[in-house]
Each structure stands twice: as structure tokens, then as C-alpha cells.
């Protein structure tokens, strides 16, 4: 019988290796393929997988990505099925194919947001990084099309030694174009990325600390670090309270791989994250829930036996290091994360936030308000609201409590997700603001 394991917060579906670009850092080694790999999951297999995911929880966010997912001819059918199940559907894309019609079609299929990769405000660098001249201009056009249509979008910025100096400019740009989220990705050397220059430890530490500062300061968009669990350590050192990945309102540690997050490959294998090829099972051999709940590989992540500095670190539970990095280099899932420069102090292990026992009541108005919040942050909002009520001794979570917490973090403008930029609220359609 399957164990009682909480449903994943996030499932990434790598639907294809087909791509119109050839990025230097691609973990999937995707490329210029017209028909994809033989054996890629068929439509019926994907819709059955989505049924299984939704049966565990309709608060799970599903990221449909690739390669370039827009090259799959059935992509709208897949998105429509997922959204029809109540799942929040986000598309991870390079943005070059997001013309006006495509954006409208995605919205009609229930796609709630697009995660668009943009690695520089310098066209030449982005084009070189992405392997195609003119890619930058097409990606910028895709951002404009999402913005004009009122589709929520995120910007994904992959940090390297060469573009780390653009961090503040990228934050300003994301804010100016109305992005809801700016994700900073710190590369793991897998796939084609094995031959790509790694970010240096010094640049990694300096940049990540600036990301933590910006995440605490920013009120117009969410700023997050990806593939960088040390973000939690830095945030705690700085005594900041961060949205979504906040120290005291998020019950898990730094990395979600194998505990709250997993990836499904184009051939149906289930892995802890996109940067790990270690397979926990296959949807062609078992149902998703059984693999998620019972796989021995995932059990290692849920009860880790960390080695080296990670095992001796007081932040072992709050951070835990990236498991993909030592696995990519040495094949050791529990090895220390060599990109982290922190030396453990020898003090007691810091325990992550754990929800208090006992139910907290919610008023009908608060429940209604909660359901309007995007599913991918709904659990975190619920935890924060209930913790606040316990701390203040209030009788229940009310709509006013939720509004107070949102105002405390984001000011009078409210949280960025789900909002349209001011110019869209006013009904204008200005000239493109995407050119830096």
C-alpha cells in the first residue's frame, strides 16, 4: 500500500526534445528536430498522466516545457486537458514562437502564465547563448504579445559569469514590462551544459546574495532563485522575510526536488528534477502516484543522509544543497554541493518551519479570497495566514487578514501575480517597452 506522501507542489513535463534553438546550456540536449525523438509520450499518455496528477491534488502547478513545447502539434489539447482538471498550467518557452494568435490560443486553452527565457538585455549575447541569430528580438516580441494580451508571464534569467553584472538591469526591465515573476537560474552542468562554462563560486555567492536582497526589497514582482538552495541560508543571515520562499512561512527546505517537485521526461521517466537523469520509475510501467509515493529514489530525498560540508552544516534542513550538482559530477546524490562556499559553524541544525497542530477556521469570504490566489502560491498563503492567526490570537482567518498580509509584503498595490500592468488596466496599447 502506498505511503501517505503530500502531493507535489510542482510537476515539470518535458514534453519533447524538439526545439527551434540550440542553447549552449540545455540540460535536455534539445535541438533542431522536426519530429522529436522516437518514443516521445503520445497525447493519450500525457492526458492520463495529468489525470493521475490531478487525482493527488488540484493545487499542483504543471509546467509544460521541452525543448520547445510549442513545437508539439497537440500542445493546446494537452493544456486544455490540464486546465480542465483544475491544475494551474504554466508554459516554459523560449518565447520566440509567441505570436499574437498563439498567445490567444494558449489563453483559451487555460494556460495561466508563460515562463519566458531571457538571458541578457544585449541581443548579441542572448543570441549567442541561445544558438540562433535574431532569437532575442523574437523573444522580446513574445514578451510584448503576452503583455498586450494580459497573460501573466515570468522571465527566466540564467546567470553566468558573463551576464551576472546585468542583474539589477534585468530586475528593472522585468518590473517595467509588467512581469509577475523574475526567476534567476543557476546552471547545473548536465546535458549539453556539461561543456558550458560553469559559474564561478565567487560570482555565484555574490549574485545570489544580491538576489536575496532584491527579493526582500521588491514590491512590484516576485524575485526567486532557482537551483540555488543556499538562497535560504543567505536570506536567514540577512533576517529578511521573503515571499513564497520565506524563512518562517514555508515548511520545506531549500530545494524541492523529490520532495515537492519532480520532472517527467519526454519518454515518461520520472526524475527528481530536470537536471537529474536518475529515474524513480516510468509512467509507462506504473501510475504517477505510486512512483511519487513509493519510489526508493524519492525516499532518499525525503530522508537525506548528506555528506561532506552539507552533512555537517547547520543549514542542512533549511538548505541541503543542490543534489543535482554532486550527482552530475560524481554520481553521488548525497555529496556536498561544491558550488557553495559556506563553511559550517558547528552549531545546532536549524529546523525549518513546521505548521502548528490544530485546525484554524476560515470564514467563507476568506476561503473565496484564497481560491482567487494562483494555485502555485495558495498553500504558502494558507500557512502564513494560519500562522498569523495563531500568533495574534485572532478567532479565524478572514479576508481582512489576507489583505493585511498582502499589504504588509507588497504595499497598497498588492501582490504582482494576476495583475495587469498599469497601461493595460487603463486600456492603452503603448509602443513596445521591451527595448532596453
Amino acid at each position: 500500500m502506498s505511503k501517505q506522501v503530500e502531493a507535489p507542489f510542482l510537476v515539470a513535463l518535458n514534453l519533447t526534445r524538439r526545439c527551434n534553438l540550440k542553447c549552449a546550456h540545455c540540460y535536455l540536449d534539445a535541438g533542431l528536430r522536426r519530429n522529436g525523438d522516437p518514443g516521445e509520450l503520445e497525447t493519450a499518455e500525457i492526458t492520463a498522466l495529468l489525470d493521475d496528477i490531478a487525482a493527488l491534488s488540484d493545487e499542483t502547478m504543471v509546467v509544460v516545457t521541452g525543448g520547445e513545447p510549442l513545437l508539439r502539434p497537440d500542445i493546446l489539447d494537452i493544456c486544455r486537458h490540464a486546465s480542465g482538471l483544475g491544475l494551474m498550467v504554466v508554459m516554459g518557452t523560449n518565447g520566440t514562437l509567441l505570436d499574437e494568435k498563439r498567445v490567444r490560443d494558449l489563453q483559451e486553452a487555460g494556460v495561466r502564465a508563460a515562463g519566458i527565457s531571457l538571458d541578457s538585455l544585449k541581443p548579441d549575447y542572448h543570441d549567442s547563448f541561445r544558438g540562433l541569430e535574431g532569437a532575442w528580438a523574437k523573444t522580446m516580441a513574445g514578451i510584448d504579445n503576452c503583455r498586450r494580451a494580459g497573460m501573466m508571464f515570468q522571465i527566466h534569467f540564467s546567470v553566468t559569469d558573463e551576464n551576472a553584472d546585468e542583474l539589477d538591469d534585468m530586475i528593472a526591465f522585468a518590473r517595467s514590462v509588467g512581469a509577475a515573476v523574475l526567476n534567476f537560474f543557476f546552471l547545473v552542468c548536465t546535458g549539453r551544459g556539461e561543456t558550458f562554462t560553469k559559474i564561478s563560486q565567487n560570482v555565484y555567492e555574490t549574485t545570489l546574495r544580491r538576489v536575496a536582497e532584491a527579493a526582500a526589497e521588491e514590491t512590484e514582482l516576485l524575485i526567486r532563485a532557482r537551483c540555488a538552495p543556499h538562497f535560504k541560508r543567505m536570506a536567514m543571515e540577512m533576517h529578511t522575510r521573503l515571499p513564497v520562499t520565506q524563512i518562517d512561512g514555508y515548511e520545506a527546505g531549500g530545494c524541492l526536488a523529490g520532495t515537492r517537485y519532480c520532472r517527467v521526461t519526454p519518454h515518461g521517466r520520472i526524475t527528481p528534477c530536470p537536471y537529474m537523469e536518475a529515474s524513480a520509475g516510468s509512467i509507462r510501467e506504473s501510475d504517477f502516484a505510486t512512483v511519487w509515493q513509493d519510489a526508493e529514489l524519492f525516499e532518499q530525498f525525503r530522508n537525506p543522509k548528506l555528506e561532506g560540508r552539507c552533512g555537517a552544516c547547520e543549514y542542512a534542513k533549511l538548505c541541503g544543497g543542490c543534489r543535482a550538482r554532486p550527482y552530475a559530477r560524481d554520481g553521488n546524490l548525497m555529496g556536498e554541493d561544491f558550488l557553495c562556499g559556506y563553511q559550517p559553524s558547528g552549531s545546532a541544525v536549524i529546523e525549518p518551519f513546521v505548521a502548528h497542530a490544530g485546525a484554524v477556521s476560515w470564514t467563507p469570504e476568506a476561503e473565496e479570497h484564497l481560491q482567487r490566489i494562483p494555485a502555485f502560491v495558495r498553500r504558502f498563503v494558507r500557512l502564513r495566514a494560519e500562522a498569523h492567526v495563531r500568533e495574534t490570537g485572532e478567532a479565524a482567518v478572514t479576508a481582512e487578514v489576507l489583505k493585511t498580509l498582502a499589504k504588509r509584503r507588497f504595499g497598497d498595490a498588492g501582490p504582482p501575480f494576476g495583475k495587469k500592468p498599469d497601461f493595460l488596466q487603463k486600456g492603452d496599447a503603448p509602443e513596445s517597452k521591451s527595448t532596453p
Side-chain angles (χ1 to χ4, degrees):
M1 183 176 179
S2 294
K3 310 181 190 80
Q4 290 301 309
V5 175
E6 189 172 359
F9 293 163
L10 173 64
V11 178
L13 303 183
N14 283 131
L15 297 179
T16 183
R17 292 178 68 187
R18 281 172 274 193
C19 192
N20 57 330
L21 303 182
K22 195 171 179 65
C23 305
H25 63 298
C26 182
Y27 61 81
L28 201 62
D29 194 19
L32 301 173
R33 296 176 172 84
R34 191 176 296 272
N35 299 312
D37 282 348
E40 285 185 353
L41 294 172
E42 297 179 358
T43 308
E45 292 177 296
I46 297 169
T47 55
L49 166 63
L50 292 167
D51 291 343
D52 289 344
I53 294 171
L56 288 175
S57 172
D58 63 1
E59 290 187 351
T60 297
M61 180 167 70
V62 171
V63 179
V64 291
T65 185
E68 175 48 59
L70 290 172
L71 292 179
R72 274 197 70 126
D74 58 353
I75 190 61
L76 293 177
D77 293 332
I78 291 169
C79 294
R80 193 173 292 112
H81 187 85
S83 63
L85 294 169
L87 299 168
M88 177 164 180
V89 184
V90 173
M91 176 167 288
T93 172
N94 59 46
T96 62
L97 303 178
L98 288 173
D99 59 28
E100 291 182 1
K101 181 180 185 305
R102 193 71 63 99
V103 172
R104 288 196 305 271
D105 289 344
L106 291 173
Q107 288 176 304
E108 291 172 1
V111 175
R112 292 284 302 278
I116 301 173
S117 299
L118 179 67
D119 302 304
S120 178
L121 297 178
K122 302 170 185 174
D124 290 347
Y125 178 85
H126 179 88
D127 289 357
S128 175
F129 195 70
R130 293 284 160 179
L132 182 69
E133 185 177 354
W136 185 89
K138 292 178 179 178
T139 295
M140 287 296 191
I143 290 173
D144 280 342
N145 289 330
C146 287
R147 186 184 63 183
R148 291 192 181 100
M151 174 181 272
M152 183 166 64
F153 65 94
Q154 310 174 3
I155 291 177
H156 297 170
F157 179 78
S158 294
V159 183
T160 69
D161 285 352
E162 288 74 25
N163 67 0
D165 62 342
E166 293 191 60
L167 188 148
D168 287 320
D169 288 341
M170 187 60 71
I171 292 172
F173 171 77
R175 186 190 307 122
S176 73
V177 296
V181 181
L182 174 58
N183 285 324
F184 289 95
F185 281 82
F186 293 82
L187 302 176
V188 179
C189 294
T190 59
R192 210 161 41 240
E194 287 180 341
T195 62
F196 189 78
T197 303
K198 296 187 289 289
I199 188 171
S200 64
Q201 188 179 88
N202 179 59
V203 171
Y204 177 80
E205 289 278 328
T206 302
T207 304
L208 191 56
R209 189 168 296 279
R210 176 62 191 121
V211 171
E213 292 171 351
E217 297 165 357
E218 184 60 46
T219 60
E220 294 186 42
L221 73 157
L222 294 177
I223 294 177
R224 303 185 295 199
R226 288 287 180 255
C227 307
H230 322 108
F231 181 76
K232 298 280 271 185
R233 168 189 39 99
M234 292 183 179
M236 183 167 230
E237 289 173 342
M238 294 159 52
H239 304 291
T240 58
R241 291 173 177 267
L242 302 175
V244 182
T245 51
Q246 55 201 358
I247 295 298
D248 56 354
Y250 175 40
E251 78 279 26
C255 179
L256 303 182
T259 60
R260 301 291 189 272
Y261 170 44
C262 67
R263 177 272 293 256
V264 180
T265 73
H267 292 168
R269 292 184 298 108
I270 304 173
T271 76
C273 83
Y275 294 109
M276 260 183 263
E277 289 301 315
S279 177
S282 170
I283 66 166
R284 285 174 165 162
E285 298 172 359
S286 182
D287 64 276
F288 177 84
T290 298
V291 176
W292 174 252
Q293 293 168 342
D294 294 346
E296 181 180 345
L297 177 63
F298 289 153
E299 182 64 22
Q300 292 183 57
F301 284 82
R302 292 161 189 162
N303 294 284
K305 296 179 173 58
L306 302 176
E307 301 173 7
R309 284 180 299 135
C310 288
C313 187
E314 65 270 30
Y315 293 98
K317 291 186 178 179
L318 198 67
C319 165
C322 174
R323 298 298 94 221
R325 288 196 182 96
Y327 183 75
R329 187 180 72 172
D330 306 321
N332 182 3
L333 282 172
M334 296 296 123
E336 72 174 44
D337 185 342
F338 52 86
L339 199 53
C340 176
Y342 182 74
Q343 294 298 325
S345 68
S347 58
V349 173
I350 301 168
E351 295 293 332
F353 174 85
V354 178
H356 296 280
V360 171
S361 61
W362 286 65
T363 66
E365 293 80 10
E367 287 282 5
E368 182 181 351
H369 188 100
L370 184 69
Q371 292 307 309
R372 294 199 297 268
I373 295 171
F376 74 105
V377 293
R378 195 178 298 152
R379 297 184 191 189
F380 309 127
V381 172
R382 183 187 297 118
L383 286 169
R384 282 296 291 155
E386 292 181 356
H388 173 82
V389 166
R390 290 189 181 96
E391 290 168 4
T392 58
E394 297 177 51
V397 177
T398 64
E400 285 305 312
V401 166
L402 296 178
K403 292 174 184 176
T404 296
L405 292 174
K407 185 174 181 179
R408 181 183 298 174
R409 173 61 187 92
F410 298 106
D412 292 334
F417 40 78
K419 294 193 305 182
K420 294 182 179 180
D422 289 342
F423 60 81
L424 283 178
Q425 294 174 0
K426 297 172 185 175
D428 319 78
E431 294 294 320
S432 170
K433 295 169 65 177
S434 295
T435 303

